[in-house]
Amino acid sequence: MRALQVRELLPDHGGAGLADLAVPVPGPDEVRVRVRAAAVNFPDLLMTSGGYQLKPDLPFVSGLEFAGEVDSVGEGVAGWVTGDAVVGGNRFGAMAEYAVVPASALRAKPGGLSWDEAAAYPVAYLTAYVALVRCARIEPGEWLLVHGAAGGVGLATVDLAKALGARVIAAASSEEKREAVSRLYSPDAVIAAGPGFRDEVKALTGGKGADVIFDPVGGDVFDESTRCIAFGGRLLVVGFASGRIPELSVNMPLIKGFSVVGVRAGEYGRRFPERGVENVAAIDALANEGKIRPHVHAALDLADWREGFAMLERRAVVGKVVLKP
């Protein structure tokens, strides 16, 4: 089978490349899936150089999440049969024609989503759901400011927030991205991500500020966000795409009465397994009802993986890129 294999940890993905590997055999409680599409995520890029906290033993196959069809089931597996359309992931191994994962790592593909959309769906929307529903407890009518709104997780957050009845301000770095976000999901406002956004947020919210701020950027964006958050607001720390981890003087949340909340969707599900199951069921239900729909920026052949990786590195992607093995 074709697979994107990492053989050495080198800069610029120098230790990664297409390989012809044996088709894996599922063991007990495992399922083999014929992968139809695999999403590209930043951890995939980082893992090729050892820059991510998860460091699989070498060699390994890249890819966190996928959509495909059940091809074979191992001993003891119940609930899945050959031909079932599924989505899933196992932190690596998805960028191949076949992937073997624990049966528990799979769920039924939402019927209204294409293979490409389904592959682009699990990680981004789960993160958005945990952030907005579990961490922020967002209410209909509340103002939400989404930074990095054109990225995979940011765009999913805009989509989900609209479905939840929030009023959404989407911040993106370029006019092209802002036009795309506006066209795809019709947020209540779309603003530039540069310095001075706090004045626009204050104006849009009648001087109150945003009730919830979703921040995967960090750095200067976080600093300025503390100055346009409403009293009692929730500032969600999702990541540090800017490269700078900000620091906060605690007199700010004291005086302004806001909370800073860290978001780790996967860890949330591991800590609270029952709630984790509920989270997945909730986003699957929304997808099946057609209330949310992931956007695929580009679908490329697996052989063009470098182009897909480069799109993310250039911050040129609106939504997600998927690879088709």
Side-chain angles (χ1 to χ4, degrees):
M1 69 172 186
R2 288 197 310 170
L4 177 58
Q5 187 182 53
V6 178
R7 296 175 290 273
E8 295 182 80
L9 303 179
L10 297 173
D12 194 31
H13 322 301
L18 286 186
D20 186 12
L21 305 179
V23 175
V25 177
D29 301 319
E30 292 183 331
V31 174
R32 183 170 69 211
V33 176
R34 174 60 175 98
V35 178
R36 298 300 179 185
V40 181
N41 293 282
F42 272 106
D44 301 322
L45 279 61
L46 295 172
M47 278 195 278
T48 68
S49 63
Y52 191 60
Q53 56 260 39
L54 174 66
K55 296 176 173 59
D57 293 336
L58 294 169
F60 66 90
V61 173
S62 292
L64 295 175
E65 55 182 343
F66 60 82
E69 298 160 311
V70 172
D71 178 73
S72 178
V73 298
E75 182 182 353
V77 172
W80 299 114
V81 297
T82 301
D84 282 346
V86 295
V87 296
N90 197 34
R91 307 187 81 182
F92 58 93
M95 295 177 183
E97 290 183 271
Y98 294 91
V100 167
V101 297
S104 60
L106 298 176
R107 63 187 197 263
K109 180 180 83 68
L113 301 185
S114 68
W115 291 121
D116 295 347
E117 290 169 336
Y121 163 76
V123 169
Y125 279 82
L126 181 62
T127 300
Y129 188 88
V130 170
L132 297 183
V133 177
R134 296 298 190 179
C135 295
R137 295 180 173 86
I138 198 164
E139 296 288 341
E142 286 194 307
W143 281 103
L144 167 69
L145 170 61
V146 181
H147 292 297
V153 176
L155 198 61
T157 303
V158 172
D159 188 19
L160 177 62
K162 293 294 292 182
L164 295 173
R167 291 183 286 180
V168 181
I169 304 168
S173 59
S174 70
E175 183 61 32
E176 182 181 12
K177 288 182 178 180
R178 292 191 288 273
E179 289 178 357
V181 174
S182 181
R183 181 182 71 253
L184 290 166
Y185 298 120
S186 302
D188 297 85
V190 181
I191 65 174
F197 67 79
R198 65 176 179 176
D199 295 328
E200 289 189 78
V201 172
K202 285 290 191 72
L204 287 164
T205 59
K208 172 186 173 183
D211 300 292
V212 179
I213 299 179
F214 181 93
D215 179 20
V217 180
D220 294 344
V221 163
F222 177 92
D223 295 341
E224 190 164 345
S225 292
T226 65
R227 303 184 183 281
C228 62
I229 191 166
F231 191 90
R234 291 83 80 200
L235 205 170
L236 303 173
V237 178
V238 187
F240 311 105
S242 69
R244 179 172 73 83
I245 298 175
E247 297 180 359
L248 177 65
S249 296
V250 294
N251 65 310
M252 287 287 289
L254 171 65
I255 294 169
K256 300 195 67 176
F258 68 86
S259 303
V260 178
V261 187
V263 178
R264 293 183 63 198
E267 184 64 19
Y268 188 95
R270 286 186 286 273
R271 297 268 182 168
F272 309 108
E274 291 185 3
R275 292 183 217 169
V277 172
E278 293 171 358
N279 297 342
V280 170
I283 60 172
D284 285 352
L286 289 168
N288 278 311
E289 293 165 8
K291 294 181 178 178
I292 55 176
R293 179 172 291 276
H295 175 66
V296 176
H297 181 90
L300 308 173
D301 187 87
L302 183 62
D304 298 319
W305 67 272
R306 276 196 173 274
E307 180 182 350
F309 280 27
M311 285 180 178
L312 265 71
E313 290 169 330
R314 296 196 306 269
R315 313 284 179 180
V317 176
V318 176
K320 294 294 266 305
V321 171
V322 301
L323 301 177
K324 302 176 78 67

